[in-house]
Amino acid sequence: MSSARRTFFKQAGLGVGALAAAATPLLADSATPAGRPTRSELLAAAAHWDELQQQAEPWDTSWAQKITGKYKAMFDVPEVEGGVGVMRAGIWQRQYADVLKAKPADLSTVIVIRHAGIVLAMNQEFWTTYNVGKNRKIKDDDGKTMRFNPVLPRPGQEPAGGAAGLMLDTLIKGGAIALGCGLAFRSVVGLVQKQDKLDASAARAKAMSMLVPGVIMQPSGIFADVMAQEAGCVFVNAV
């Protein structure tokens, strides 16, 4: 575990020992600064909107009605960065429970996975099948290509100690709302389309089947960010 991440967990009050088992999944991302798409990327996303509107399934925004807790927070995760953006949501829940004696029903947690961070919304099968680490040039702390999604248990392994409660699947099962950016998702579909030589519709359907169960796709991450804030969430720049 890098010194920066040791400091992060110490400041979070978890201690390095409790998170020792998470040291290998916490991997660095070599992407550009968080949340800063280029002008050409934004123009391409805007052009892609009409295509998204033609998708078969309607957008599900019913999640906003579930933001009813006394404490509401939305964690914006635009980069991979070892998964710390997602993990901060779990740390917040734990600290509010310990310090403020908040019950699970008191906490409304929203995690918006967007921009380059969209691959965190994909399961381990997707990561290994489509070589996400290699294709996205994501390295671990040893400089090696990352093989697995850092916010999910590794195949055949369960995270030990405090790390278990910080994984995306566990957070969702515990009631957290996880939202994916529909515009960023087109890059995921592109990986499937290129490798499997499928048309766009078939590639999208296959990519959707490999989402982490419980992740709800939204028109865009910014759409989800704003809607969550309108529902009363405090905005947290998690990465």
Side-chain angles (χ1 to χ4, degrees), residues 33-45:
R36 297 181 184 177
T38 64
R39 180 175 182 275
S40 61
E41 287 174 335
L42 284 176
L43 290 175

Side-chain angles (χ1 to χ4, degrees), residues 1 8-9 12-23 25-26 86-95 98 150-151 153 158-171:
M1 185 181 295
F8 166 71
F9 287 122
L14 295 178
V16 176
L19 273 295
L26 295 180
V86 171
M87 292 180 179
R88 282 192 169 103
I91 292 170
W92 171 72
Q93 290 181 337
R94 187 176 303 172
Q95 292 177 336
D98 291 343
V151 294
E158 289 296 327
L166 306 182
M167 297 291 101
L168 180 60
D169 57 341
T170 302
L171 289 168

Side-chain angles (χ1 to χ4, degrees), residues 12 24 58 66 168 174 183 185 195 197 202 223:
T24 36
K66 300 176 183 178
L168 180 60
L183 292 177
F185 190 66
Q195 181 165 312
K197 295 179 173 54
F223 176 96

Side-chain angles (χ1 to χ4, degrees), residues 30-236:
S30 59
T32 55
R36 297 181 184 177
T38 64
R39 180 175 182 275
S40 61
E41 287 174 335
L42 284 176
L43 290 175
H48 186 63
W49 173 244
D50 289 339
E51 182 181 331
L52 277 179
Q53 284 297 83
Q54 297 173 14
Q55 65 182 22
E57 68 275 11
W59 299 108
D60 178 6
T61 58
S62 62
W63 54 270
Q65 300 170 18
K66 300 176 183 178
I67 301 175
T68 57
K70 179 180 179 180
Y71 307 108
K72 309 173 184 71
M74 182 273 293
F75 296 80
D76 185 58
V77 185
E79 300 290 338
V80 174
E81 290 296 337
V84 296
V86 171
M87 292 180 179
R88 282 192 169 103
I91 292 170
W92 171 72
Q93 290 181 337
R94 187 176 303 172
Q95 292 177 336
Y96 261 55
D98 291 343
V99 178
L100 302 182
K101 309 306 177 187
K103 299 176 181 179
D106 294 331
L107 303 175
S108 288
T109 307
V110 180
I111 304 169
V112 177
I113 304 173
R114 66 178 182 88
H115 195 47
I118 190 64
V119 291
L120 294 174
M122 306 307 295
N123 65 20
Q124 297 293 24
E125 180 186 0
F126 181 87
W127 273 68
T128 55
T129 301
Y130 298 99
N131 298 312
V132 172
K134 179 179 179 180
N135 281 307
R136 295 297 179 91
K137 297 180 174 60
I138 305 173
K139 305 293 183 179
D140 63 22
D141 287 339
D142 295 324
K144 298 179 180 179
T145 298
M146 187 175 93
R147 297 176 55 203
F148 302 107
N149 186 336
V151 294
L152 294 176
R154 288 193 175 193
Q157 299 180 21
E158 289 296 327
L166 306 182
M167 297 291 101
L168 180 60
D169 57 341
T170 302
L171 289 168
I172 292 173
K173 289 176 183 177
I177 299 167
L179 308 172
C181 174
L183 292 177
F185 190 66
R186 66 194 180 118
S187 67
V188 172
V189 174
L191 286 178
V192 177
Q193 188 172 11
K194 180 179 179 180
Q195 181 165 312
D196 295 349
K197 295 179 173 54
L198 300 173
D199 62 35
S201 178
R204 186 175 190 279
K206 186 169 184 179
M208 287 292 291
S209 75
M210 302 175 88
L211 275 174
V212 173
V215 172
I216 305 169
M217 198 59 61
Q218 296 295 286
S220 71
I222 300 303
F223 176 96
D225 281 347
V226 174
M227 196 166 188
Q229 290 177 85
E230 288 178 334
C233 287
V234 172
F235 178 91
V236 179

